């Protein structure tokens, strides 16, 4: 394949990474923005989403689309409920104190991951996509006869991959509507602005926190369900989404949802393209260093404005 | 000779002029009271003297050295001591260790020398019988006294006190007044104080701050009879 | 009895007990104990920063690995003697902790935790990236012939145990001394109330930097000793898990106490050792212990004991 078409495929793959990453990272971002805690177990909620999706689809016989649709609805709800329970049993008890919360969520990370290892096992397991037609993609060339469309061999994608991108956009739009147009969204934003004021105005902050923590985990799970037909479910799959979400949330400006989405698109797209030029390990080294240096020298994110 | 002085010192918080263009001179050996209504900018002003708060513009000089760019800890080791308006002690450490931490930084001598200083200071602030107690367990008034003790232990040249008598009992306030009188023999003192009794009994000279600017300066008598000060401050209390 | 005498007595007793242990315990357990002593040095290094200075790092695997690879690679590729390799390992750790300290200390709190985590992750990935030399996850073995020091073959149980004990004892007394020094007391002041310590005239930033360097170097010494005594260096020692373990040891044993790290390491090591006989998901135990500690015993075992014996250093 020529370089041009190759880059085109890489950016399509990047768009999928970006779409899933945006969902996962927005989950982490609203938890940080509203509750002011860093959830290190966030990647495990992602992993749980994929594993539960595998479990549900393996239970339901018939057309793969049936099982997948059930999983798409049920897995995020189940993961959300698990997160709410974790919130109630652990985070709530330590009063969301920032440093202890990190330590406790590291504990949760191991508990969730290792419990999955004991029950689900160490294998990677595939989930069948609900639909999966191959689509050949056109490329343009300036040949002797001028401008021409060609269909280079290997330049293709699938309907499912395109659907993932569309689904992520729709979900993010719905989330945006909920946050800006509904009472629940208003309550969440009020809590984010000033927790004590919210409390004084009769908002049950404890319940908002439970809801937010559950929602954050459910978004990660949703991203995982969407990606699992492409990627397979595995008990260690939470590590990369966690790292990438961290990068995105920090670069986008801690707690800023819009910044997070923009950064997710940037990082997701460049992840696909960078891996054309660098080995994945080098790309990850650069990414982790980027997070560290942004936190050190530009703590409000690359797009954030300085607050005093 | 001024021990500390400022020129055009300002602190602006996104539009709010907490302190604006203050010229201030404090002669060595004086007890100066800094008064003004709530929110006048007193804490912000001494914060900039001590280096705890970075100024927006203007300069501070201490002992004839320009310290505007010096971090707080360097200014302290030049001979300043600072007590916080909001009590700030090492709540989990003993009373003795609290004062010892202050003394150790100022006296580079061996442990027994530090210990003598600590005991002498605890005597002065009426805490000698509580050396082993955990600071956080002390009553509020005793914590205020401990805070003052931590300043004393540094044997400062300039001692800045931000509302030291807030929350003290009448007897403790009297004790504090005596303490300031003794100290003033060899220490310059800058005292933020709302209690006018304390001000009138201890201060040689008074600076009145209002809306971040110097409203008036003068002896206690002059300030008492200043009409502007009356309306801005004294009248309202 | 003065505080200092009591401290010397207590620590000498602990070391005497450890000497006796070698002769009393069956070989399997004394072998474990040698490992525990080295890991306890790691935990003591971690404790300088977390327990005494109040800085929670999530990246100490980087320091451990610096010592480990500083020693391991110089033996492997420069045929360095164990003594020289040890020194190279320590220097590597000093340099790495200077750089990390200088950069990471510009942040505080949660940002400090994430920055240290990211630097350590970058270090881990670097080990993988140079897989040609480090052999990545698989790691490399340091031959027995290259592991004798002063005529002692460190691959043998007896010299190995006592080499570990010597390192442990040096670090234990160093920390006991540090805690009673001006410097150590200032670190505690910074942990308790940074703002106040600064307004007493202490250079907080410089103290923190020195604390990172002491902590990082001690952790690096543990890493170097681990490679030398057990003859292996691998990327897993640079991974996140080895940043979490010292935190776990110190939290369990008691942060800000001299012997807490040893106690925590002994308990945690055996908890993991025993549970790994039953399941490959042995890190489940680590996770549960972390959660239970944050919930119910933030001061650890030594912290509970100290409630009864206030003089415990
Ligand atoms: N960090 C800050 N950010 C924004 N505004 C501030 C900040 N600190 C102080 N201010 C404002 O600056 C003004 C001066 O505050 P300051 O604390 O110096 O007053 P004060 O004279 O010490 O008052 P009080 O007698 O109540 O102690 C106030 O209006 C206060 O709200
Ligand atoms: Mg004030």
């Amino acid at each position: 394949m020529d370089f041009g078409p190759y880059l085109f495929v890489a950016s399509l793959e990047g768009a999928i990474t970006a779409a899933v990453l945006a969902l996962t990272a927005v989950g982490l971002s609203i938890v940080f923005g509203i509750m002011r805690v860093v959830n290190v177990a966030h990647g495990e909620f992602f992993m749980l989403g994929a594993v539960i999706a595998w479990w549900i689809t393996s239970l339901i016989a018939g057309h793969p689309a049936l099982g997948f649709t059930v999983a798409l609805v049920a897995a995020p709800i189940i993961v959300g409920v698990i997160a709410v329970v974790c919130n109630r049993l652990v985070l709530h008890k330590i009063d969301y104190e920032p440093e202890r919360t990190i330590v406790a969520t590291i504990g949760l990370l191991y508990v969730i991951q290792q419990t999955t290892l004991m029950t689900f096992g160490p294998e990677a397991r595939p989930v069948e996509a609900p639909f999966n037609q191959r689509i050949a993609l056109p490329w343009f060339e300036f040949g002797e006869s001028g401008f021409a469309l060609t269909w280079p061999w290997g330049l293709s994608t699938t309907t499912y991959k395109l659907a993932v991108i569309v689904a992520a956009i729709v979900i993010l739009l719905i989330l945006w509507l909920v946050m800006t147009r509904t009472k629940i969204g208003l309550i969440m934003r009020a809590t984010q602005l000033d927790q004590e004021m919210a409390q004084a105005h009769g908002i049950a902050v404890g319940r908002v926190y439970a809801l937010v923590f559950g929602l954050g985990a459910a978004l990660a799970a949703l991203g995982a369900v969407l990606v699992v037909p492409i990627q397979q479910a595995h008990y260690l799959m939470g590590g990369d989404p966690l790292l990438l979400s961290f990068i995105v949330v920090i670069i986008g400006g801690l707690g800023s949802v819009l910044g997070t989405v923009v950064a997710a698109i940037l990082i997701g797209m460049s992840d696909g393209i960078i891996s054309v030029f660098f080995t994945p390990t080098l790309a990850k080294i650069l990414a982790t260093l980027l997070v560290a240096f942004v936190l050190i020298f530009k703590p409000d994110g690359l797009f954030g404005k300085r607050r005093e | 000779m001024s021990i500390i002085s400022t020129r055009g010192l300002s602190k602006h918080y996104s539009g709010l002029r907490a302190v604006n263009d203050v010229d201030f001179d404090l002669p060595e050996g004086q007890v100066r009271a800094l008064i003004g209504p709530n929110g006048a900018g007193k804490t912000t002003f001494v914060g900039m003297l001590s280096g705890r708060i970075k100024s927006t513009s203007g300069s501070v000089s201490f002992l004839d050295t320009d310290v505007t760019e010096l971090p707080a800890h360097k200014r302290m080791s030049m001979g300043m001591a600072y007590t916080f308006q909001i009590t700030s002690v090492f709540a989990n450490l003993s009373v003795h260790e609290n004062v010892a931490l202050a003394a150790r930084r100022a006296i580079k001598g061996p442990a027994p020398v530090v210990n003598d200083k600590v005991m002498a200071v605890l005597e002065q602030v009426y805490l000698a019988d509580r050396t082993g107690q955990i600071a956080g367990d002390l009553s509020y008034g005793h914590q205020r006294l401990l805070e003052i003790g931590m300043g004393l232990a540094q044997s400062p040249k300039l001692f800045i006190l931000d509302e030291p008598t807030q929350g003290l009992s009448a007897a403790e306030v009297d004790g504090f007044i005596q303490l300031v009188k003794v100290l003033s023999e060899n220490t310059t003192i800058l005292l933020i104080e709302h209690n006018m009794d304390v001000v009138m009994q201890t201060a040689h000279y008074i600076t009145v701050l209002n809306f971040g600017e110097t409203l008036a300066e003068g002896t206690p008598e002059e300030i008492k009879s200043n009409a502007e000060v009356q309306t801005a401050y004294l009248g309202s209390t | 009895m003065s505080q200092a005498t009591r401290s010397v007595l207590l620590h000498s007793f602990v070391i005497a007990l450890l000497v006796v242990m070698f002769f009393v315990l069956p070989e399997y357990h004394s072998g474990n104990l040698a490992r525990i002593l080295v890991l306890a040095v790691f935990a003591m290094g971690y404790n300088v920063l977390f327990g005494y200075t109040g800085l929670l790092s999530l990246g100490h695997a980087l320091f451990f690995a610096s010592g480990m690879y500083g020693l391991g690679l110089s033996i492997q590729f420069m045929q360095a003697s164990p003594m020289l390799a040890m020194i190279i390992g320590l220097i590597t750790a000093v340099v790495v902790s200077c750089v990390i300290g200088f950069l990471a200390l510009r942040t505080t709190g949660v940002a400090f935790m994430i920055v240290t985590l990211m630097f350590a992750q970058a270090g881990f990935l670097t080990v993988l990236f140079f897989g040609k030399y480090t052999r990545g996850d698989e790691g490399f073995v340091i031959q027995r012939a290259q592991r004798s020091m002063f005529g002692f073959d460190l691959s043998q149980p007896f010299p190995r145990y006592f080499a570990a004990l010597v390192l442990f004892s040096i670090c234990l007394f160093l920390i006991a001394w540090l805690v009673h020094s001006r410097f150590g007391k200032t670190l505690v002041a910074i942990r308790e109330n940074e703002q106040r310590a600064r307004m007493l005239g202490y250079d907080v930033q410089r103290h923190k930097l020195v604390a990172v360097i002491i902590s990082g170097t001690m952790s690096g010494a543990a890493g170097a000793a681990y490679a030398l005594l057990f003859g292996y260096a691998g990327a897993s020692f640079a991974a996140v898990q080895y940043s979490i373990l010292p935190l776990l040891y110190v939290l369990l044993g008691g942060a800000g106490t001299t012997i807490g790290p040893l106690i925590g390491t002994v308990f945690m090591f055996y908890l993991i050792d025993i549970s790994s006989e039953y399941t490959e998901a042995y890190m489940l135990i680590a996770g549960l212990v972390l959660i239970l500690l944050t919930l119910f015993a933030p001061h650890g075992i030594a912290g509970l004991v100290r409630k009864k014996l206030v003089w415990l250093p």
Side-chain angles (χ1 to χ4, degrees), chain A residues 64-147:
Chain A
L66 184 63
F68 187 81
T69 314
V70 176
L72 193 60
V73 177
I77 293 177
I78 297 174
V79 173
V81 169
I82 293 175
V84 170
V85 172
C86 293
N87 170 65
R88 182 70 229 171
L89 291 182
V90 183
L91 303 197
H92 181 77
K93 292 260 163 64
I94 54 175
D95 232 4
Y96 305 98
E97 207 205 281
E99 299 200 351
R100 282 171 82 192
T101 299
I102 292 198
V103 176
T105 54
I106 292 172
L108 281 176
L109 179 158
Y110 281 121
V111 169
I112 295 172
Q113 179 194 81
Q114 301 285 306
T115 310
T116 310
L117 171 62
M118 283 168 80
T119 49
F120 174 81
E123 306 84 15
R125 300 175 197 237
V127 170
E128 202 177 324
F131 48 86
N132 211 8
Q133 281 82 33
R134 190 155 286 282
I135 325 172
L137 295 171
W139 188 251
F140 54 85
E141 256 168 23
F142 292 101
E144 286 144 23
S145 53
F147 184 81

Side-chain angles (χ1 to χ4, degrees), chain C residues 102 123 213 265:
Chain C
F102 177 76
I213 296 170
T265 313

Side-chain angles (χ1 to χ4, degrees), chain B residues 13 16 18 37-44 85 163 194:
Chain B
Y13 289 110
L16 175 84
N38 289 97
K42 304 180 295 293
T43 299
T44 310
Q85 176 171 7
E163 296 197 28
H194 276 301

Side-chain angles (χ1 to χ4, degrees), chain B residues 156-187:
Chain B
K157 297 193 179 85
L158 169 65
F159 195 0
I160 302 173
L161 294 131
D162 196 347
E163 296 197 28
T165 63
Q166 197 184 54
L168 294 194
S169 69
E172 285 166 338
V173 170
D174 283 341
F176 175 76
I177 293 173
Q178 295 315 313
L179 185 61
V180 170
K181 285 186 173 158
V182 174
L183 272 181
S184 64
E185 285 162 19
N186 44 27
T187 311

